[in-house]
Amino acid sequence: MTTRIALIQHFVFDDKNDNLERVIGKVRQVVKESKPRIVALPECFNTPYDTKYFAGYSEPVPDGPTCGRLSALAKELNIYLVAGSIPEKDGNKVYNCSTIWSPAGKLIGKHRKIHLYDTAIEGDIVFTESNGFAPGSDFTIVDIDGHKVGIGICNDMRFDEFCRVYRNEGCEMLIWPFALVASQGQSHFETLLRCRALDLQLYVCGISAARDENSPCVQWGHSMVVNPWGKIVKEAGIGDEVVVTDIDWKVVQDCRRQVHLFEQRRTDLYACERKKH
Amino acid sequence: MTTRIALIQHFVFDDKNDNLERVIGKVRQVVKESKPRIVALPECFNTPYDTKYFAGYSEPVPDGPTCGRLSALAKELNIYLVAGSIPEKDGNKVYNCSTIWSPAGKLIGKHRKIHLYDTAIEGDIVFTESNGFAPGSDFTIVDIDGHKVGIGICNDMRFDEFCRVYRNEGCEMLIWPFALVASQGQSHFETLLRCRALDLQLYVCGISAARDENSPCVQWGHSMVVNPWGKIVKEAGIGDEVVVTDIDWKVVQDCRRQVHLFEQRRTDLYACERKKH
């Protein structure tokens, strides 16, 4: 009833190939040492999180060289690999794209970040992610050993309606690669992850890159796994770290059996619904 | 651009009239000392939070004697009075009912708690609120000096879709009387209030009774005001306390102008909608 997961909080610098090689080395190392079934990487794990890099670092999915390496790695190690995100080239567009690989090396899901981080907070941060990426338009739910897992990228988490759809469609876990700017992390990262876990009664895993004070976007770190009771099961600091823990699916069932949030929704009064196309 | 609010965190014992008289005394005192424009009371401020009391303590709304006192109090003091909740008798039914009074003493809103607290957490708490109360079926939005304020009671807060409707309909603040059991408070009270404030970019005020270790339901306390950035502006401890602070409506506008969460929702992909009857 448990599935071991490893979150790789690694440093991202401006050498795309070096980022990829180092992260592959870490995945191999954690699999050797801890035998996780799922390994998850941060948002933009092979590129600095800055709009000026995205197009130049982009590749086709799944036919580019990075995807080739990820597919082979998942197969070699017999793991589910939730490969954070990379810039995806598709015609004239570039997407912030997460690829999810099965232990057979098959692409079982692909999430293009939907809610781009376009914000201008006075005295803090100005960032216009849509200058570098086009937005996706699909929900992404993958099956991991019989459990439905919802995938989102960073800012997607801020949209309660988006997350609610995943619960309504039966997810037991959300896996959420992040590249959250450190100045924003304090005020809402833990709160958001814990509240989504409480509202939706599922596990939430957030994976950040390590904090590099010289990066164009200084990352928050604090990769964490939160259980369906809103409790942080395990949390990284800000550095080069790997978080390993066991997801106990029984906790999801226990929580939902004891607290009937889902059944007590008043769908006669309101409902958050996925729009059909 | 500011409105002063006072949250009355008072002790609730089993003498209905004494509870009412003490709370009235406190409202008078805080108005004299701090001149708030809004005063808010806890859930079940005149009855212990236990199903065996509710029917016996119930009265008609707005024609019962407690409502008569509340109306006169609001008028006497020229305040908006968000009167936590009392058991409301309506025919054969009893509701957990919040009444909201204008400075003219007029009933401007009445919220019957919609999501009753029916839960059975092993090793912690068993509570079946629906043994004492019938559920309400309406959203409650009141106008306070030109600002829309959404009202909910305790467990209503746990339902993200319910809260989302208030934001979608233009609320700038949520006022939320609580009677949260202390053993549950640690794990989610602050997280929920802060996350609703972040998601919906509005003020959230939670009002608890004071903690009485001899009560049938030991309360959490920690009444608080959270701003639209998810920051706790002011927080009580667990005792007999009054929280007074100024709501700065410009913070709501500033937050929404700088971070476009509402406009960035992908209503082509999902939407949380109020059902029309």
Side-chain angles (χ1 to χ4, degrees):
Chain A
M1 286 290 276
T2 68
T3 302
R4 185 163 295 172
I5 188 167
L7 317 181
I8 310 278
Q9 182 170 298
H10 92 133
F11 280 107
V12 176
F13 302 119
D14 64 1
D15 182 326
K16 176 178 161 183
N17 197 53
D18 174 64
N19 288 325
L20 179 65
E21 293 304 328
R22 281 187 298 105
V23 92
I24 288 175
K26 285 190 180 167
V27 175
R28 284 211 178 93
Q29 187 182 346
V30 75
V31 169
K32 188 175 172 187
E33 290 172 357
S34 306
K35 301 188 175 28
R37 179 66 167 164
I38 310 170
V39 179
L41 311 180
E43 181 181 11
C44 291
F45 69 85
N46 73 351
T47 171
Y49 185 68
D50 189 317
T51 53
K52 73 180 181 190
Y53 292 96
F54 299 149
Y57 281 55
S58 66
E59 299 176 19
V61 170
D63 299 324
T66 299
C67 281
R69 296 291 303 278
L70 297 170
S71 167
L73 185 70
K75 190 171 178 180
E76 170 197 333
L77 301 175
N78 191 37
I79 56 170
Y80 288 94
L81 181 59
V82 181
S85 75
I86 62 171
E88 173 198 4
K89 185 177 175 57
D90 184 10
N92 292 326
K93 291 190 172 169
V94 180
Y95 296 95
N96 190 341
C97 180
S98 185
T99 57
I100 302 98
W101 305 90
S102 78
K106 184 168 170 263
L107 185 69
I108 56 170
K110 165 178 159 173
H111 183 75
R112 290 170 165 174
K113 187 176 185 176
I114 292 174
H115 306 85
L116 300 175
Y117 190 62
D118 290 352
T119 210
I121 302 176
E122 288 153 17
D124 185 1
I125 182 176
V126 176
F127 201 89
T128 309
E129 189 177 14
S130 60
N131 283 345
F133 286 129
S137 290
D138 275 318
F139 294 85
T140 305
I141 298 176
V142 296
D143 182 295
I144 292 190
D145 287 341
H147 301 279
K148 285 188 181 179
V149 176
I151 309 292
I153 301 176
C154 199
N155 201 45
D156 287 334
M157 176 67 84
R158 292 205 65 173
F159 296 81
D160 48 280
E161 295 158 287
F162 176 73
C163 300
R164 162 61 56 186
V165 167
Y166 283 154
R167 168 66 184 101
N168 292 359
E169 301 202 358
C171 288
E172 296 176 68
M173 180 157 69
L174 304 179
I175 297 184
W176 227 269
F178 271 87
L180 185 65
V181 54
S183 62
Q184 286 294 298
Q186 184 68 54
S187 59
H188 63 244
F189 178 72
E190 178 187 320
T191 298
L192 279 171
L193 266 65
R194 289 183 56 210
C195 192
R196 298 290 179 251
L198 283 167
D199 285 349
L200 309 177
Q201 299 184 301
L202 40 64
Y203 279 95
V204 180
C205 303
I207 313 99
S208 171
R211 189 178 305 176
D212 168 15
E213 298 289 351
N214 298 315
S215 163
C217 173
V218 180
Q219 306 264 321
W220 174 239
H222 297 286
S223 298
M224 63 171 66
V225 177
V226 183
N227 80 9
W229 298 101
K231 183 175 181 297
I232 297 173
V233 178
K234 209 150 186 184
E235 177 182 0
I238 61 172
D240 190 359
E241 294 186 38
V242 179
V243 171
V244 180
T245 193
D246 290 328
I247 300 299
D248 186 348
W249 303 104
K250 190 168 173 297
V251 174
V252 179
Q253 306 312 322
D254 285 349
C255 180
R256 294 177 181 182
R257 181 173 46 76
Q258 294 176 58
V259 183
H260 305 142
L261 287 183
F262 194 72
E263 295 74 16
Q264 289 169 341
R265 288 174 307 143
R266 288 292 300 271
T267 50
D268 58 323
L269 304 180
Y270 54 76
C272 180
E273 282 161 2
R274 182 172 181 161
K275 304 277 184 172
K276 304 294 177 194
H277 294 284
Chain B
M1 284 291 276
T2 69
T3 301
R4 185 162 294 170
I5 188 167
L7 318 181
I8 309 278
Q9 181 169 298
H10 91 133
F11 280 108
V12 176
F13 302 119
D14 64 1
D15 182 327
K16 176 179 162 183
N17 197 53
D18 174 64
N19 288 324
L20 179 63
E21 294 303 328
R22 281 188 298 106
V23 93
I24 288 175
K26 286 190 179 165
V27 174
R28 284 211 178 95
Q29 188 182 344
V30 76
V31 169
K32 188 176 171 186
E33 290 172 358
S34 306
K35 300 189 176 27
R37 178 67 167 163
I38 309 170
V39 180
L41 311 180
E43 182 182 11
C44 290
F45 69 84
N46 73 350
T47 170
Y49 186 67
D50 189 317
T51 52
K52 73 180 179 188
Y53 292 96
F54 299 148
Y57 280 54
S58 66
E59 298 176 20
V61 169
D63 299 323
T66 299
C67 282
R69 295 294 301 277
L70 297 170
S71 167
L73 186 69
K75 191 171 177 182
E76 169 196 335
L77 301 174
N78 190 37
I79 56 170
Y80 288 94
L81 180 60
V82 181
S85 76
I86 61 170
E88 174 198 4
K89 186 177 176 58
D90 183 11
N92 292 325
K93 291 189 171 170
V94 180
Y95 296 95
N96 190 342
C97 180
S98 185
T99 55
I100 302 98
W101 305 90
S102 78
K106 185 167 169 263
L107 185 70
I108 56 170
K110 167 177 159 175
H111 183 75
R112 290 170 165 174
K113 186 176 184 177
I114 292 174
H115 306 87
L116 300 174
Y117 190 63
D118 289 351
T119 210
I121 303 176
E122 288 153 16
D124 184 0
I125 182 176
V126 175
F127 201 89
T128 310
E129 190 178 14
S130 60
N131 283 345
F133 286 128
S137 289
D138 275 316
F139 295 85
T140 305
I141 297 176
V142 295
D143 182 295
I144 291 191
D145 287 341
H147 301 279
K148 284 188 181 178
V149 176
I151 308 292
I153 301 177
C154 199
N155 201 45
D156 288 333
M157 176 68 84
R158 293 205 66 172
F159 296 80
D160 47 281
E161 294 158 287
F162 176 73
C163 300
R164 163 59 57 186
V165 167
Y166 283 154
R167 168 67 183 98
N168 292 359
E169 302 203 357
C171 288
E172 296 176 67
M173 179 158 70
L174 304 179
I175 296 184
W176 227 270
F178 270 87
L180 186 65
V181 54
S183 62
Q184 286 292 297
Q186 183 70 54
S187 60
H188 64 243
F189 178 72
E190 177 186 323
T191 299
L192 280 171
L193 266 64
R194 289 184 55 208
C195 193
R196 297 291 179 253
L198 283 167
D199 286 348
L200 310 177
Q201 299 183 300
L202 41 62
Y203 279 95
V204 180
C205 303
I207 313 100
S208 171
R211 190 177 304 176
D212 169 14
E213 298 289 352
N214 298 315
S215 162
C217 172
V218 180
Q219 307 264 320
W220 175 238
H222 295 286
S223 299
M224 63 171 65
V225 176
V226 184
N227 80 9
W229 297 100
K231 183 174 180 299
I232 298 173
V233 178
K234 207 148 188 186
E235 178 181 359
I238 61 172
D240 191 0
E241 294 185 38
V242 179
V243 171
V244 180
T245 193
D246 290 327
I247 300 300
D248 185 348
W249 303 105
K250 189 168 174 296
V251 174
V252 179
Q253 306 312 322
D254 285 349
C255 180
R256 293 177 181 180
R257 180 174 46 77
Q258 294 176 57
V259 183
H260 305 142
L261 287 184
F262 194 71
E263 295 73 16
Q264 289 169 341
R265 289 173 307 143
R266 288 292 298 272
T267 50
D268 58 322
L269 303 179
Y270 53 76
C272 181
E273 282 161 2
R274 183 173 182 161
K275 303 277 184 173
K276 304 293 177 196
H277 293 285

